[in-house]
Amino acid sequence: MQETLKTVTKTNTDWEAIRSQFPILKHEVNGHKLVYLDNGASSQMPQRVIDRINDYHSNEHANVHRGIHTLSQKATDAFELARKRMRKFINAQYEEEIIYTTGTTDSINLVAQSYGRKHFNEGDEILISAMEHHANIVPWQMIAEQTGAVLKVIPMDNNGELLLNEFHRLLSSKTKMVAVVHVSNTLGTINPVQEIIESAHAYDVPVLIDGAQAVPHMKVDVQALDADFYAFSAHKMCGPTGFGILYGKRKLLNEMPPYRGGGDMIDKVTFEKTTWNDIPHKFEAGTPPISAGVGFAETIAFLNEIGMDNIAAREQELLKYATEKLSMIDGLQIVGTAKSKASVISFLLKDIHPTDVGTILDQKSIAVRTGHHCTQPIMDSFGIPGTARASISFYNSKDDIDRLVDGIKYVQEFF
Ligand code: 7TS
């Protein structure tokens, strides 16, 4: 028994073997083997997910939830498998709490519009943080404009840690929603969302967590967190684009009006009046991205086999290695130095514009993102135009980090 367990653990964390399952990582770009460090923007898919999508298109495709013919039922089962697996993956209590969306952005817009239109009034406050992605700012600004609600911002310090005493000060009976990022895509900060949720609940305020950069990198348990809403995207966790999840507590989702109207989300339609389908379908109007959902079910199985705790440990090891190596480079400044960080390193090179850093790194086939990373307010608060950002996945290697370090030194010599 002991032996078997050992074997399983070893197999699960054979990182070379895991890496070899990602076909794109074998490619050469600009004459060098690809070093892909832009996982925060989008991660790569393993062969088995690509194969599953291909197989679905070749053998199983039909529309879902509407046909009694065999193929439609098969497609529906394959598509619904992602919901079943996702419920377990994030430990939601009920399957119908897993709403399919097109991604984090869509999930947040859904809550802002559906929950917000029903519950927000003139003078109500929506509390977000200083390190939000635009996807967790703009939808709240839009609903604030529509309802007369006001946006309030939890500030952060120079390390990129939220000022929790300020959060407690801002929280009041006027607060009608708290929406906070779990892991910052720019700074890497892992926010104490459990504490934030607990404090908000003391005021009966629901909390939406933007988990786009958390779910791919650590075990997330929505019940343990007691999150009311939790949003994320498949394509940042080795799944396909165009697909995402909104987790919501059943009671809240049941009371919310639909976000978009059309087929599938209805119970009965007449010209006089339409009634709604039950959740999750009430929020899933029209033909969904079926093949992406089918592929995502395979992704979840893949991640489960490795284990999210193993993934988190591997990424922490790579983060530590990269932070040490990058810190040794003269003239390099890391932006985002919170105590609790995920595997994201934003950096500046003295006197060299981040865009130039990214362009020269690309010549060496090192893919990083440069710019404001859809977090312009973070850039404003640090008084910088942007950063270069290496965002690391479990399938990266120490060799990738060494190549990044060499690449950065090359950039410095170039200028
Ligand atoms: N929230 C966070 C924290 C994100 O990092 C992103 C995407 C989103 C929301 C939006 O996700 P989407 O799938 O709906 O687009 N972040 C990034 C990034 O860091 N670089 O490119 C996209």
Side-chain angles (χ1 to χ4, degrees), residues 38-42 101-108 131-136 181-186 210-214 231-236 241-244 344 369 372-375 389 391:
D38 195 18
N39 297 286
S42 199
T101 67
T102 62
T104 312
T105 304
D106 192 31
S107 299
I108 298 173
M131 63 175 85
E132 299 308 319
H133 185 280
H134 296 164
N136 203 27
V181 70
H182 197 161
V183 172
S184 162
N185 63 313
T186 298
D210 172 354
Q213 303 289 348
F232 53 102
S233 304
H235 72 97
K236 293 186 198 291
T241 51
F243 199 79
V344 173
R369 187 175 168 185
H372 53 64
H373 316 298
C374 300
T375 53
R389 180 192 67 178
S391 47

